[in-house]
Amino acid sequence: MTPQITVLAGGVGAAKLLSGIIQAHPPQDVLAVVNTADDTKLHGLHISPDIDTVIYTLAGAVNPDTGWGLSGETWNAMDALERYKGITWFRLGDRDLATHMFRTHRLYQGSNLATVTAEIASAWGLKLTVMPVTNDPIQTKITTPDEGEIDFQDYFVRLRHNVTATAIRIDGAKQANPCPGLIDTLSSAQTIVIAPSNPIVSIAPILAVPHIQPTLKSQRHKVVAVSPIVGGKAIKGPTDRLMRELGHECSVVGIARIYADVACALVIDEADAHLALQVHNAGLTPIVAPTIMHDVPTATALAKTVLNAVPPASTSSYPSNP
């Protein structure tokens, strides 16, 4: 059966929303399409941070203090690596290492990333489908004044995103192919959700894969986005800084302008209710609701709002894209 709900997902924010969606809707009918432009290779291992954050969160195993990694993790391997003055700025816990070892070995055996991701999700007992946007390598590259163009994880983890970004490109995106079946799924899904992930470095790489953005444009009447910006600030991470540095208005109005071509509605927080008319003028129907997800119940409440946001096509009253 084709999943009825398809969610375009980054890491922490998307994982929280998905934890509510699978409470509000049968998980076997949910597909999470996850950004892989954050993937990196380190210590000879293929690491997929956004995929793992989604899986660990939905399995109830994520570190609640960070929103990524595993709860109750130990760090013996990293501590031992310090002895050799190895690369330890990207911290990998002992049990988390097993995930990357398994993924790398299965890829070495010839399996593709979608197959391996499904195996990992199944091992954690998940009933929804977790799918990388592509099996092909894509990589977010960020240009900074002092270091030139660097990989995303250098920017995000090594430099703790404490540098100015002047440009971003998604290396390999033009040559990539969407995972098999993804375009058909997007075309037939009942609702497509753009999670409250960073629109610049989490959602944009998904849209950069050929055929995805045109498909969303054609299905715009059933795409609803959730703003990652509340009161002009990011809930987590550098979304607000990146938007400002790259010339976007850092507000729900800026988010609306980014998604105007591919979504018909934008869920914004009550703190931004006064900007609802400007969101409407940007071409999206504003839906005002609490969007800060403190726990699974609040995520579930938001998920119900999101899933009820797209009416049947025959009764849709959403504005057309200006």
Side-chain angles (χ1 to χ4, degrees), residues 60-82:
V62 78
N63 183 334
D65 297 325
T66 61
W68 52 266
L70 288 163
S71 177
E73 187 62 278
T74 56
W75 306 93
N76 296 310
M78 289 293 104
D79 292 344
L81 191 57
E82 290 278 6

Side-chain angles (χ1 to χ4, degrees), residues 44-46 97-111 116 119:
L45 301 175
H46 184 117
L97 275 168
T99 301
H100 312 313
M101 292 169 67
F102 175 78
R103 175 185 294 115
T104 304
H105 180 63
R106 292 288 290 118
L107 291 173
Y108 174 77
Q109 289 180 319
S111 294
V116 179
E119 292 170 350

Side-chain angles (χ1 to χ4, degrees), residues 166-238:
T166 59
I168 292 179
R169 71 180 181 94
I170 313 303
D171 187 40
K174 291 182 179 180
Q175 294 77 39
N177 293 302
C179 272
L182 176 54
I183 299 303
D184 288 343
T185 298
L186 290 172
S187 298
S188 60
Q190 172 184 305
T191 302
I192 300 169
V193 179
I194 300 177
S197 300
N198 189 315
I200 308 295
V201 295
S202 293
I203 301 301
I206 295 175
L207 301 183
V209 174
H211 310 300
I212 291 182
Q213 186 161 346
T215 301
L216 290 183
K217 286 183 177 181
S218 72
Q219 303 298 317
R220 182 178 178 270
H221 60 280
K222 61 185 181 184
V223 182
V224 56
V226 182
S227 175
I229 295 292
V230 175
K233 297 180 180 179
I235 299 299
K236 189 176 181 68

